[in-house]
Amino acid sequence: MKLCIIGSGYVGLVTGACFAEVGHQVICVDNDQRKVDMLIAGEIPIYEPLLEGMVHKNVGAKRLSFTNSVEKGVDESEVIFIAVPTPPQPDGSVDLSYIEQAAREIAVVLKDYRVIVDKSTVPVKTGEKVAATIRRYNRAGAAFDVVSNPEFLREGCAVGDLMNPDRIVIGSSNEQATALMKKIYEPFMAPILVTDISSAELIKHAANSFLALKISYINMVSRICEASGADIENVADGIGADKRIGRNFLNAGIGYGGSCFPKDIAAFIAISEHLGEPFELLKEVQRINRTQCDRFIAKIREALWVLKDKKIAIWGLTFKPDTDDVRSSVAIDIVNQLVAEGAIVRAYDPKGMEKSQQMGLVPGVGFASSPLDAVQDAEALVIATEWKEFSNIGFQELKALMHTPLIFDGRNLLDPLVARQFGFTYYSIGRA
Ligand code: UGA
């Protein structure tokens, strides 16, 4: 099928590449000419495992192309996906101006029947507004349908998630549009759930909020483990073995971050309030998440007493492993707090240093060339992101380089018993 994706960010680019991979003809549109030029030149603006190879392969096969022209995308495609950012506003509600702009731009060039699909994460009822906007700005009076098709991919494993989804949600009120959507997703061989548009929109916010709730739940349990001498890993295994609960998203740590959960939970709270049904439970989820990081810093402060002039190594800046995304990363918050208290911080991250620097997120921080370089002469090591390569580093080597064998593991990456066997003082989350 001929498809157009408006917006070449994480969701748009990965979706475009995966659609091309299964044989569709895909045009990716972006209004950032620099990004379009990069993509045409074969450069991928984000780090995402497997993405680069997939983009190159499908560009080579002439199934995937890039342009800044919405008109070209709309003219040459049967279905248009909107995958533009929906950033948060100071009050927690969502800034929908990019969605509105995309709807207007489509409307202006729309000549014949098209299905317009919203893939961005949006508040319930946005589909209705998109349809009204297209109707208002489309002088040609062309027929169209609006569909909601939320995306559930995770950064760091986006290609795998998109190629093997648990489910596809199609929110549609028109049979012709539903049939086209089913045809697009046929090659993915995943269960398809067809709903009304509002339900599809709500599924996305409700799913992300539930996952965040699971994280805050286990983080709260980890505090009770610390207070009682229990071990959070055992407790999470024991809870997670119940199929009704599941072990996924029960990893205690310094809290969730990234460009989705913090924004989406705030948005869901704002919508619930707007609809007169304030979702108080989610406010507690936010509070636990915020204080989880504060508690971790308090542990560091307590052990080091005064942070001023202490040499601290940081492993990890990204909000999770296998990505270069540092937006709303708890690791960055920790670094900045340590710097604010006068610590001398040297950080290492396999993929996140360039973007942290470019975005000016960690002023006053030194960058190391390797994890071992970061710990040279350090009085403490803080693990803030659970990159696999960190767990492969030998304690012996680490101890030889550090000034003091002291580790604060914010992601429960290392084995406490082994760390202590090697003479480290070791703090983690929810385990003695
Ligand atoms: C999340 C959802 O998992 C995706 O389904 C959704 O499509 C995406 O948001 C989105 O809305 O676009 P993502 O933010 O990329 O995906 O990454 P996650 O793997 O969900 O991790 C989010 C945060 O939760 C990270 O900071 C991670 O470290 C933290 N986390 C995750 C935990 O602290 N504990 C866990 O057990 C799992």
Side-chain angles (χ1 to χ4, degrees), residues 251-300:
N251 295 322
I254 47 181
Y256 62 77
S259 63
C260 301
F261 284 173
K263 166 185 84 119
D264 291 352
I265 280 70
F268 205 26
I269 291 172
I271 299 156
S272 70
E273 285 171 350
H274 178 73
L275 294 172
E277 294 294 345
F279 210 147
E280 300 295 337
L281 178 62
L282 292 183
K283 290 190 184 160
E284 183 61 8
V285 168
Q286 286 180 319
R287 189 194 66 80
I288 295 169
N289 198 56
R290 224 174 16 247
T291 49
Q292 193 69 6
C293 176
D294 297 343
R295 284 171 56 93
F296 184 65
I297 291 166
K299 267 185 207 172
I300 302 175

Side-chain angles (χ1 to χ4, degrees), residues 151-155 204 208 249 251 256-257 260 319-320:
E151 182 47 59
F152 301 102
L153 62 81
R154 290 162 299 170
E155 290 182 21
K204 173 68 194 218
N208 271 5
F249 279 72
N251 295 322
Y256 62 77
C260 301
F319 83 100
K320 64 180 287 190

Side-chain angles (χ1 to χ4, degrees), residues 11 121 150-157 161 167 204 207-208 211-212 214-215 218-219 247-264 289 318-321 325 328-330 384-386 411:
V11 170
T121 302
E151 182 47 59
F152 301 102
L153 62 81
R154 290 162 299 170
E155 290 182 21
C157 41
D161 283 352
R167 79 306 205 182
K204 173 68 194 218
N208 271 5
L211 291 169
K214 258 187 122 173
I215 299 169
I218 204 68
N219 281 337
R247 180 65 175 82
N248 288 332
F249 279 72
L250 285 183
N251 295 322
I254 47 181
Y256 62 77
S259 63
C260 301
F261 284 173
K263 166 185 84 119
D264 291 352
N289 198 56
T318 51
F319 83 100
K320 64 180 287 190
D325 197 347
S328 302
S329 168
V330 184
T385 314
E386 67 277 34
R411 296 291 181 184

Side-chain angles (χ1 to χ4, degrees), residues 404-425:
T404 324
L406 175 58
I407 298 177
F408 299 93
D409 183 350
R411 296 291 181 184
N412 287 0
L413 183 69
L414 307 179
D415 185 328
L417 284 179
V418 183
R420 286 180 193 127
Q421 269 164 16
F422 279 91
F424 279 85
T425 305

Side-chain angles (χ1 to χ4, degrees), residues 37-309:
D37 290 342
M38 269 179 92
L39 288 163
I40 290 172
E43 291 167 44
I44 311 298
I46 52 172
Y47 171 73
E48 184 63 45
L50 308 177
L51 182 62
E52 190 168 359
M54 192 180 262
V55 169
H56 288 168
K57 177 180 157 199
N58 287 286
V59 169
K62 302 215 178 315
R63 283 193 298 265
L64 182 62
S65 61
F66 304 98
T67 176
N68 65 0
S69 166
V70 172
E71 182 159 21
K72 180 176 159 61
V74 172
D75 277 352
E76 296 179 17
S77 310
E78 304 162 74
V79 179
I80 326 294
F81 288 82
I82 301 176
V84 296
T86 48
Q89 307 197 96
D91 68 350
S93 66
V94 182
D95 173 2
L96 291 168
S97 59
Y98 297 102
I99 297 272
E100 197 260 357
Q101 188 184 337
R104 264 188 293 123
E105 286 173 2
I106 294 167
V108 170
V109 297
L110 189 69
K111 300 173 192 97
D112 300 303
Y113 178 77
R114 297 286 185 267
V115 175
I116 322 291
V117 185
D118 176 41
K119 216 173 213 330
S120 306
T121 302
V122 292
V124 60
K125 299 282 177 204
T126 300
E128 287 176 12
K129 298 206 174 78
V130 167
T133 304
I134 297 177
R135 227 171 281 125
R136 193 174 316 133
Y137 286 91
N138 179 233
R139 292 234 178 120
F144 67 92
D145 280 302
V146 169
V147 165
S148 166
N149 171 221
E151 182 47 59
F152 301 102
L153 62 81
R154 290 162 299 170
E155 290 182 21
C157 41
V159 170
D161 283 352
L162 219 143
M163 294 303 286
N164 299 294
D166 288 345
R167 79 306 205 182
I168 309 287
V169 174
I170 298 172
S172 168
S173 54
N174 175 279
E175 273 177 30
Q176 184 182 358
T178 308
L180 280 171
M181 292 300 292
K182 283 186 170 170
K183 208 169 141 199
I184 294 171
Y185 280 109
E186 212 171 63
F188 295 91
M189 291 184 296
I192 292 181
L193 183 68
V194 179
T195 68
D196 58 283
I197 299 175
S198 293
S199 300
E201 290 169 337
L202 209 60
I203 284 169
K204 173 68 194 218
H205 269 140
N208 271 5
S209 298
F210 190 78
L211 291 169
L213 177 108
K214 258 187 122 173
I215 299 169
S216 278
Y217 183 88
I218 204 68
N219 281 337
M220 196 60 218
V221 175
S222 80
R223 299 183 193 181
I224 298 168
C225 286
E226 284 178 12
S228 62
D231 183 314
I232 191 62
E233 299 301 325
N234 292 336
V235 174
D237 288 345
I239 304 171
D242 186 327
K243 286 197 189 69
R244 293 170 302 174
I245 298 172
R247 180 65 175 82
N248 288 332
F249 279 72
L250 285 183
N251 295 322
I254 47 181
Y256 62 77
S259 63
C260 301
F261 284 173
K263 166 185 84 119
D264 291 352
I265 280 70
F268 205 26
I269 291 172
I271 299 156
S272 70
E273 285 171 350
H274 178 73
L275 294 172
E277 294 294 345
F279 210 147
E280 300 295 337
L281 178 62
L282 292 183
K283 290 190 184 160
E284 183 61 8
V285 168
Q286 286 180 319
R287 189 194 66 80
I288 295 169
N289 198 56
R290 224 174 16 247
T291 49
Q292 193 69 6
C293 176
D294 297 343
R295 284 171 56 93
F296 184 65
I297 291 166
K299 267 185 207 172
I300 302 175
R301 213 182 276 124
E302 202 176 296
L304 289 173
W305 189 19
V306 174
L307 292 181
K308 191 168 177 321
D309 296 333

